[in-house]
Amino acid sequence: KAGGSLAFSQSANSGYIQSSDTTYATARSGSGLAAYTLSAGFLGQYSTDGVIKFFHERLVDFDTSAIPDTATVLSVALTATMSAAAGVVHDSTTVQARLWDYSTSITTGDFVAGASLSGKTLLATAPTSSVPIGSGATVLFTSATDFAANINKTGSTRLLFCTDTQVS
């Protein structure tokens, strides 16, 4: 609407992909992949027993087709309810939201290897220091690029959430 705002929640085509292996490099590149379509999920990297390494990429779909094709998107505010696991080493400094038009249903083929994450447009970041341990809290992301120009007005806007450590 003219001069107004719209709010969008994730669609049912949201979830996460897990990669795991005994070596860090292999897990980061995509091994032992499993895809999950869930409204909540994991993101980041960790090791549960010092042997198996896990990478999680969170994929979120927003049906933004309600925005008129003739509209100009001026700004985007991205928030997410997040929490960090207790007892896990958190070595990342930011959570990143990157543009990734994954398939219409989440599959293991949608996994992006860590070395290729930087090739996806960085739209917004949030400091991991704002993610509480235990209970979830709403985290506000800060736009890193022209987020508004990357909103799909004729379908879904799809994002991949990862951490700066996964990228580097």
Side-chain angles (χ1 to χ4, degrees):
K1 59 187 177 182
S5 63
L6 296 171
F8 299 94
S9 296
Q10 68 181 346
S11 77
N13 188 27
S14 299
Y16 69 97
I17 300 175
Q18 174 182 285
S19 174
S20 62
D21 194 79
T22 56
T23 67
Y24 181 86
T26 304
R28 185 173 180 253
S29 66
S31 175
L33 295 172
Y36 303 91
T37 304
L38 300 166
S39 62
F42 299 100
L43 75 89
Q45 61 187 37
Y46 66 94
S47 176
T48 56
D49 57 7
V51 177
I52 304 295
K53 313 312 187 239
F54 292 94
F55 278 79
H56 292 103
E57 295 175 352
R58 180 83 174 109
L59 303 176
V60 179
D61 176 289
F62 299 97
D63 179 1
T64 49
S65 63
I67 302 171
D69 294 353
T70 57
T72 301
V73 178
L74 300 175
S75 65
V76 176
L78 177 65
T79 61
T81 301
M82 301 170 67
S83 64
V88 176
V89 175
H90 303 282
D91 59 353
S92 300
T93 58
T94 61
V95 175
Q96 301 179 352
R98 293 182 172 271
L99 190 63
W100 175 217
D101 192 11
Y102 56 91
S103 58
T104 56
S105 61
I106 296 173
T107 70
T108 57
D110 297 319
F111 183 81
V112 179
S116 299
L117 285 168
S118 63
K120 303 296 176 198
T121 303
L122 178 62
L123 298 176
T125 60
T128 55
S129 61
S130 66
V131 179
I133 293 177
S135 62
T138 300
V139 175
L140 176 63
F141 283 72
T142 303
S143 290
T145 62
D146 194 4
F147 198 162
N150 285 289
I151 299 299
N152 182 355
K153 296 182 283 187
T154 60
S156 289
T157 300
R158 295 186 178 117
L159 306 179
L160 179 151
F161 289 84
C162 60
T163 65
D164 59 315
T165 306
Q166 288 173 283
V167 175
S168 64

